[in-house]
Amino acid sequence: MSASPTLVARTGSFFHRYANPGRFLKLGARLQPWLTWPAIAFTLAGLGWGLFYSPADWQQGDSVRIMYVHVPAAMLASGGYAGLALCGLLSLVWRHPLADLAAVEIGPVGACITALCLATGSIWGKPMWGTWWVWDARLTSVLVLFFLYLGHIALIRAFDDPQRGYRAAAILALAGAVDLPIIKFSVQWWNTLHQPDSITLTGAPTMSASMLWPLALSTIGFSLGFAAIVVARTRAAVMESRIRALLSSPRRGGGAA
Amino acid sequence: MTHLPYIVASYGLAAIMALVLSIGAALRLRRARARLAALEQTNNRSAGTPFTP
Amino acid sequence: MTRKTRRLWLVIACVACLGTAAALILRAFSSDIVFFVTPSQVEASPPPADRTVKLGGMVVAGSVKRDKHGETPIATFAVTDGQAAVTVHYEGILPDLFREGQSVVAIGTVQPDHDFVASEVLAKHDETYMPKEVAEALKKSGKWDPRFGPPPSAASWNTMTVQDAGKNLSAPTTAPN
């Protein structure tokens, strides 16, 4: 306990080194191509492999190819929300200005990927399970995640004073993180229609290696793509806030408006 | 391929979403960068001091 | 700095409280969150005939009888969880994945004679993903019968994907599914 204040301070200063918007713009500009191009390459490779070269499943037939979209989307839906919760923590404890901007930008992207997860799951469920939707624990908890994203998007923009919006949204992001372990373990804790995870930390994957490879590639591709889009949007947000500051600064000369 | 309509629908949705998100982000970034550059230029000209973040 | 530390502990305490509350709520409603009940649960305490329940389990090998009532197909099969079995009657088209040994969820009511009349049957697939050629090879070699249990672990047939699958691909294995 005695060491914690300095640790907290040190972690804070570490994060604050990247809180400087100017520094972030430089870092982001350097990082961007390393995220964007590998994202495109990995996604195309993974999806192309999955769509044309990976084998059909013995009982699901070719519909198993939906997995190469559905599973990465599901992983990112949870991962994106974890990112949102981390931004919430940085915002509430260290008043990190960049974390607030990032939280504003992660929200819509995360909501989109969660919607994609739900939609592709539904499309996959119809031919395989025989239904578009059931209210089992896995599906319901992911739907709750989608609504948490929507709530976060609305809340962070709901106040005239942006600082109050950031604070409220950060609390929602942290509280909503309770849903993440529920999503993860729902298929183990309760009887669900959704099957348990094929890839676990503890056991060997119950999936053919010929399907695991394209899945891994597309998961890497989707993750890099998510990061690339979030970084690009956050860079744009930093520039936009600087534009607003310049426009409202008394120093500003007339002309371009 | 079995279940072709379902596969096409899934991949189509993913492609549409990726395109909308990435093109939207790229356009927004380009617009912000251009606007900021223009503003900083006029600012520098009128104030004479470079803008430092 | 102490204010930041205090805020951090405050956030940690709040998240911990919320997590505990959520865990307790989920524990309390655990029996309501389950999507289906098992045959042995139905056997032990049969629900009233007017209550819709979801019965989940494995289709017993050799128990499926298909019939036709005019245009609509009728199926009768037994669903088991290894301890008890319940006979299910269903009128309608079964999902593609339905087969003996498959996990299914039947939605319907328990009749006074303990039979189950389903209004809907959903197939539940397991977490194993296996190429068709490998499944054919495993079945042919007698290492696995899908009607009687889950397939062997992926590690045991992953190498087969390369070797045997190629052999089987050259042979005409266009067995209808």
Side-chain angles (χ1 to χ4, degrees):
Chain A
M1 271 293 241
S2 60
S4 63
T6 54
L7 180 70
V8 172
R10 263 218 314 264
T11 343
S13 75
F14 169 77
F15 285 126
H16 265 286
R17 200 176 310 154
Y18 297 100
N20 182 323
R23 211 187 291 258
F24 171 77
L25 281 186
K26 272 198 208 105
L27 183 77
R30 273 234 303 278
L31 204 61
Q32 192 76 64
W34 292 96
L35 291 172
T36 308
W37 299 113
I40 294 170
F42 274 104
T43 305
L44 289 181
L47 293 188
W49 188 346
L51 206 46
F52 300 112
Y53 296 105
S54 75
D57 184 65
W58 74 283
Q59 52 177 347
Q60 298 192 38
D62 286 303
S63 79
V64 75
R65 299 181 201 284
I66 296 174
M67 174 176 74
Y68 306 116
V69 175
H70 176 72
V71 170
M75 284 174 163
L76 273 179
S78 287
Y81 201 86
L84 212 54
L86 180 68
C87 286
L89 184 70
L90 290 175
S91 165
L92 283 180
V93 177
W94 289 284
R95 302 275 189 264
H96 198 304
L98 208 62
D100 291 325
L101 287 181
V104 175
E105 302 307 329
I106 291 174
V109 185
C112 280
I113 202 92
T114 312
L116 181 69
C117 165
L118 287 167
T120 52
S122 192
I123 290 170
W124 197 4
K126 182 59 185 167
M128 288 303 106
W129 296 343
T131 180
W132 296 103
W133 181 264
V134 291
W135 292 99
D136 85 345
R138 171 56 77 84
L139 277 64
T140 308
S141 55
V142 175
L143 187 66
V144 167
L145 184 74
F146 180 61
F147 286 122
L148 283 171
Y149 270 120
L150 292 187
H152 187 273
I153 292 169
L155 193 60
I156 208 163
R157 291 163 174 80
F159 295 88
D160 287 331
D161 174 15
Q163 291 300 326
R164 291 183 60 193
Y166 295 154
R167 203 79 359 108
I171 292 170
L172 175 70
L174 273 173
V178 169
D179 194 32
L180 294 180
I182 297 176
I183 291 174
K184 172 83 182 99
F185 296 108
S186 56
V187 287
Q188 294 169 29
W189 289 342
W190 303 294
N191 297 334
T192 53
L193 187 63
H194 195 287
Q195 73 280 7
D197 298 336
S198 301
I199 305 156
T200 54
L201 287 176
T202 48
T206 58
M207 186 188 291
S208 160
S210 52
M211 299 172 177
L212 205 55
W213 277 110
L215 181 62
L217 289 188
S218 74
T219 303
I220 295 171
F222 272 53
S223 308
L224 289 172
F226 189 92
I229 289 170
V230 167
V231 167
R233 289 175 65 118
T234 309
R235 285 169 65 205
V238 171
M239 291 179 188
E240 282 159 7
S241 76
R242 190 170 284 182
I243 290 169
R244 272 194 302 277
L246 276 177
L247 284 176
S248 62
S249 82
R251 226 166 43 130
R252 193 182 82 83
Chain B
M1 261 191 205
T2 61
H3 309 102
L4 194 61
Y6 298 99
I7 300 171
V8 169
S10 299
Y11 280 72
L13 276 179
I16 290 170
M17 202 202 70
L19 283 179
V20 167
L21 280 179
S22 52
I23 292 175
L27 286 180
R28 191 178 148 197
L29 188 59
R30 211 172 67 172
R31 206 178 308 130
R33 196 190 286 131
R35 187 116 189 268
L36 186 63
L39 267 179
E40 276 175 352
Q41 211 170 24
T42 54
N43 239 34
N44 290 350
R45 224 181 287 137
S46 60
T49 48
F51 176 85
T52 41
Chain C
M1 287 309 134
T2 57
R3 273 180 53 196
K4 277 175 190 171
T5 318
R6 210 174 56 223
R7 286 204 296 257
L8 180 64
W9 283 111
L10 199 67
V11 167
I12 290 173
C14 286
V15 169
C17 287
L18 200 74
T20 317
L24 288 175
I25 292 170
L26 290 176
R27 257 186 79 85
F29 289 101
S30 210
S31 59
D32 298 313
I33 294 170
V34 294
F35 185 64
F36 56 82
V37 294
T38 56
S40 45
Q41 280 171 305
V42 168
E43 203 105 301
S45 54
D50 56 342
R51 222 185 91 199
T52 305
V53 290
K54 303 187 190 80
L55 175 75
M58 215 179 186
V59 180
V60 177
S63 72
V64 181
K65 284 188 214 60
R66 291 170 196 262
D67 205 354
K68 266 225 153 126
H69 185 76
E71 275 303 291
T72 48
I74 302 175
T76 305
F77 51 90
V79 168
T80 181
D81 60 347
Q83 282 141 41
V86 171
T87 308
V88 178
H89 304 279
Y90 175 63
E91 231 176 274
I93 299 161
L94 291 163
D96 293 357
L97 248 58
F98 183 91
R99 59 173 175 81
E100 293 177 355
Q102 182 70 283
S103 294
V104 295
V105 176
I107 304 168
T109 52
V110 178
Q111 300 301 302
D113 60 353
H114 284 219
D115 274 12
F116 192 93
V117 173
S119 56
E120 203 178 345
V121 173
L122 307 175
K124 176 174 157 50
H125 65 78
D126 59 15
E127 65 273 31
T128 309
Y129 294 87
M130 186 191 285
K132 204 180 267 174
E133 298 80 30
V134 173
E136 293 296 328
L138 278 177
K139 277 189 267 182
K140 214 179 281 173
S141 68
K143 283 192 188 121
W144 173 52
D145 188 336
R147 292 178 303 154
F148 294 108
S153 73
S156 68
W157 44 261
N158 255 336
T159 48
M160 250 169 84
T161 327
V162 190
Q163 297 163 5
D164 301 78
K167 261 184 260 163
N168 274 319
L169 265 180
S170 52
T173 51
T174 44
N177 207 3

